[in-house]
Amino acid sequence: MMTFEEYCIKKKINSEAFRAQEPERWLEWKLQFEQMHPNSFTEQKKFLINETRRTYLLVNTPE
């Protein structure tokens, strides 16, 4: 099972920066992510994920 933090890495979102700047939204997303399949979460948040990625881009992504 993938964690929300791992999901953020996969989506090239800097989870730590996201959490520091928007702790309420980060926690809301984390709780929602834990309630559904990652693909469903992606479909539900598709446009918001893109916006969040642009704001909190993870520059050095692990391979």
Side-chain angles (χ1 to χ4, degrees):
M1 187 71 165
M2 181 185 304
T3 67
F4 182 63
E5 291 81 358
E6 292 168 337
Y7 177 81
C8 286
I9 291 169
K10 181 179 175 193
K11 295 298 180 183
K12 297 183 177 150
I13 296 171
N14 184 327
S15 181
E16 291 179 19
F18 180 22
R19 185 178 186 181
Q21 294 296 315
E22 298 185 60
E24 291 178 4
R25 184 161 73 124
W26 184 90
L27 183 58
E28 176 186 334
W29 281 25
K30 181 180 187 302
L31 295 173
Q32 290 174 357
F33 180 82
E34 291 170 351
Q35 298 295 317
M36 61 181 82
H37 191 277
N39 293 343
S40 298
F41 182 84
T42 301
E43 281 299 312
Q44 186 180 57
K45 304 284 187 198
K46 185 170 262 182
F47 297 106
L48 295 174
I49 289 170
N50 289 335
E51 173 187 316
T52 303
R53 179 184 304 118
R54 283 191 292 274
T55 304
Y56 306 110
L57 182 63
L58 183 61
V59 179
N60 295 322
T61 57
E63 297 286 324

